[in-house]
Amino acid sequence: MQHVDGNAIAGPLAEFFAFDVTTAVARCNGCGSVAELARAMVYTSPAGSVLRCASCEQVLATLVESDDRAWIGFSGVSAIEVRRR
Amino acid sequence: MSDASTATATSATSEPAPALAAMPRAGWHVATVVATRQETAKAARLELDVDGWPGNAAGQHLDLRLTAPDGYTVTRSYSIASSGPGTRVVLAVDKLPDGEVSPFLVDEVRVGDRLEVHGPLGAFFVWRPVDRGAVRAAGDGAGGAASALRARPVQLIAGGSGIVPLFAMATAHAEARDLTPFRMLYSVRTPDDLFFAEELMALAAASDVFRLDLVYTRRTPDGWPNLAGRVTRAALAAAVLPATERPIVYVCGSTGFVERVASWLIELGHDARDIRTERFGGI
Ligand SMILES: Cc1cc2nc3c(=O)[nH]c(=O)nc-3n(C[C@H](O)[C@H](O)[C@H](O)COP(=O)(O)OP(=O)(O)OC[C@H]3O[C@@H](n4cnc5c(N)ncnc54)[C@H](O)[C@@H]3O)c2cc1C
Ligand SMILES: [Zn+2]
C-alpha cells in the first residue's frame, strides 16, 4: 500500500486528542523542517501507522492500536505548535 | 524523494488551517443510508443521514467502519462530497475490484442500511467560502492582510475519485456566491468515468468565476480537441492558474497522480506551502 497524507490519520488521532492534531505544526528532529502533520507521509499496515517527514523521511510519529490500548509515539518531533485562534 | 509537501519553511502555512475552536469535535456516529445511485459503471454515490452529525466543511473526510458478525472490523477513509450544516452527507466511492471495502459499498449497500462513521475529520484539506463582510472590513486598511490572503484564487486538481472533496469545494463556492476565481482540472479515463458530471457542467455553465478543464486519459468524447492521454507537465502548465497569481492549490487523487502533479507544480514555480494534497492511496 502506498503512503497517504498525514491528514488521513486525523480519525485515529481524534480518538485520543481533544483537537485535530493533523493541523498542528510540528518541527522534525531530523532536518528541522516545520510543517503541519497533515503534510507528513503516512504508511499504514495492520500493525499500525507510521508518520514520516515529507522532507527527510525520518519517522515523526507512530500509532499502534490494539483492542484495549493504543501506543502513540512522537519520537521524531521536537515541538508542536497548536493554534488557539 | 522529491515531494511537494516538502517544506523547509520556518513558519506555518500562509493561510493557516482553522484553529481549534472553529472545528466541531469528531465522533463516532451511526449513519443510515438514505439514497444510493450509480455514479459510473464502477462507482456509487451514497447519501447518508448521520445521527448527531455536526455538519462539515468542504474538503473534510470521514472514516467508515464495517464490522463482520465475528467482530472483525475494517476502516477506510472517504472524502465528503457535501458540506454545510445538517446531518446529511454525500459520499462517492470508486470500486477497486480486489478491494475489501469499496466493492461492498458500491455493490451491496442498500437504502436503510446502517454504517458506522467517524467524523468530520481533517481541518487541513479544507476550503471555506470568503466571508465578504470580513474581507471588506479587513481590506479597508492599506495593509489588509486578511483580504489579501482571502482574495487568492483557488486551483483544484482532481484525478479520478479525487474529485470528491474538490466537488464539495466547488459547490460550496457556488452556493456562497463567492467571487474568488476557482479553476478545476479534472483528469478521468473516459467521459463515462466522470463523477458528478451533470453538477459540474452546470456549475461551470452558470458561473463566470468557476472554470472546468477536463483531461481524458483513455478515451475522449467525439470531437474533443485533445488526444486521450495522461496529464502532462505542459498540459498542467497550460490549464492551471500560473504561480504568479499565487493560487492556493488543492490536489487530490491516487498517490501516484498527486505526487506527479505536485512535483510539476513546484517546478512551475508554485510554493510548496500553497499546495495542499490529499492522497487516496493506490498507485
Ligand atoms: C483521506 C482519504 C479520503 C479518501 N476518499 C475516497 C473517496 O472519496 N472515494 C473513494 O473511492 N476512495 C477514497 N479513498 C480511498 C479509500 O479510503 C480506500 O483506500 C479505497 O476505497 C480502497 O479500499 P478497499 O478496502 O476497497 O481496497 P483495499 O482492500 O484496501 O485495497 C485493494 C487493492 O487496491 C489498492 N488500492 C487501495 N486504495 C487505492 C486507491 N485509492 N486507488 C487505487 N488503488 C488502491 C491497494 O494497494 C490494494 O492492492 C480515500 C482515502 C483517503 C486516505
Ligand atoms: Zn525531516
Side-chain angles (χ1 to χ4, degrees):
Chain A
M1 185 73 203
Q2 276 264 358
H3 68 276
V4 292
D5 292 287
N7 197 38
I9 58 162
L13 291 174
E15 307 250 26
F16 308 108
F17 294 92
F19 65 101
D20 179 3
V21 185
T22 64
T23 62
V25 175
R27 189 191 307 119
C28 169
N29 269 338
C31 68
S33 78
V34 174
E36 296 85 350
L37 283 173
R39 293 184 186 270
M41 304 183 283
V42 171
Y43 294 82
T44 297
S45 76
S49 297
V50 176
L51 228 76
R52 289 180 179 274
C53 174
S55 301
C56 74
E57 299 191 35
Q58 149 151 315
V59 173
L60 295 176
T62 50
L63 170 66
V64 177
E65 291 183 78
S66 75
D67 282 346
D68 63 343
R69 65 189 75 187
W71 291 266
I72 304 165
F74 282 97
S75 60
V77 172
S78 56
I80 289 183
E81 175 195 298
V82 182
R83 284 183 66 240
R84 284 217 173 90
R85 51 180 166 262
Chain B
M1 96 160 264
S2 82
D3 187 333
S5 37
T6 297
T8 44
T10 51
S11 66
T13 182
S14 43
E15 191 185 358
L20 305 185
M23 304 300 294
R25 182 99 164 84
W28 282 98
H29 306 275
V30 175
T32 307
V33 178
V34 292
T36 65
R37 57 169 273 188
Q38 203 172 334
E39 190 64 42
T40 69
K42 55 189 273 293
R45 193 186 304 193
L46 304 178
E47 185 174 351
L48 311 177
D49 188 46
V50 188
D51 191 25
W53 188 255
N56 63 275
Q60 289 195 283
H61 67 275
L62 52 72
D63 286 350
L64 191 150
R65 179 165 68 195
L66 302 177
T67 305
D70 66 359
Y72 168 77
T73 65
V74 277
T75 305
R76 295 287 184 272
S77 300
Y78 291 97
S79 293
I80 305 170
S82 53
S83 68
T87 57
R88 296 287 173 101
V89 301
V90 175
L91 309 179
V93 179
D94 199 23
K95 177 168 76 178
L96 305 182
D98 58 342
E100 206 174 350
V101 172
S102 59
F104 174 80
L105 294 175
V106 172
D107 296 334
E108 308 295 337
V109 161
R110 297 284 175 270
V111 168
D113 287 352
R114 283 160 180 262
L115 304 164
E116 276 181 296
V117 300
H118 185 207
L121 299 171
F124 182 72
F125 195 79
V126 155
W127 180 84
R128 285 168 190 285
V130 172
D131 174 345
R132 273 177 279 172
V135 166
R136 269 194 301 275
D140 285 344
S147 81
L149 287 177
R150 285 315 211 159
R152 287 174 62 183
V154 173
Q155 177 70 51
L156 309 173
I157 305 177
S161 56
I163 189 66
V164 176
L166 306 185
F167 175 70
M169 294 178 193
T171 306
H173 173 257
E175 283 175 356
R177 299 174 190 277
D178 189 310
L179 298 176
T180 308
F182 245 56
R183 274 175 86 153
M184 174 185 279
L185 175 63
Y186 181 13
S187 166
V188 280
R189 290 189 175 178
T190 77
D192 299 331
D193 292 304
L194 283 165
F195 284 29
F196 308 109
E198 277 176 31
E199 291 92 337
L200 284 170
M201 303 303 172
L203 284 175
S207 174
D208 296 333
V209 283
F210 175 68
R211 171 169 159 178
L212 175 64
D213 295 292
L214 294 165
V215 172
Y216 295 102
T217 63
R218 301 278 173 85
R219 175 172 56 81
T220 68
D222 291 339
W224 191 253
N226 304 317
L227 292 174
R230 285 186 169 183
V231 176
T232 60
R233 201 186 114 146
L236 187 78
V240 305
L241 290 164
T244 49
E245 290 185 32
R246 301 284 322 276
I248 312 248
V249 190
Y250 293 86
V251 190
C252 189
S254 69
T255 296
F257 176 85
V258 169
E259 295 194 340
R260 202 158 50 238
V261 164
S263 64
W264 285 335
L265 288 168
I266 301 281
E267 289 172 24
L268 293 170
H270 294 266
D271 188 328
R273 309 295 314 175
D274 297 336
I275 303 170
R276 293 183 186 198
T277 59
E278 180 109 286
R279 294 165 173 85
F280 274 7
I283 35 150

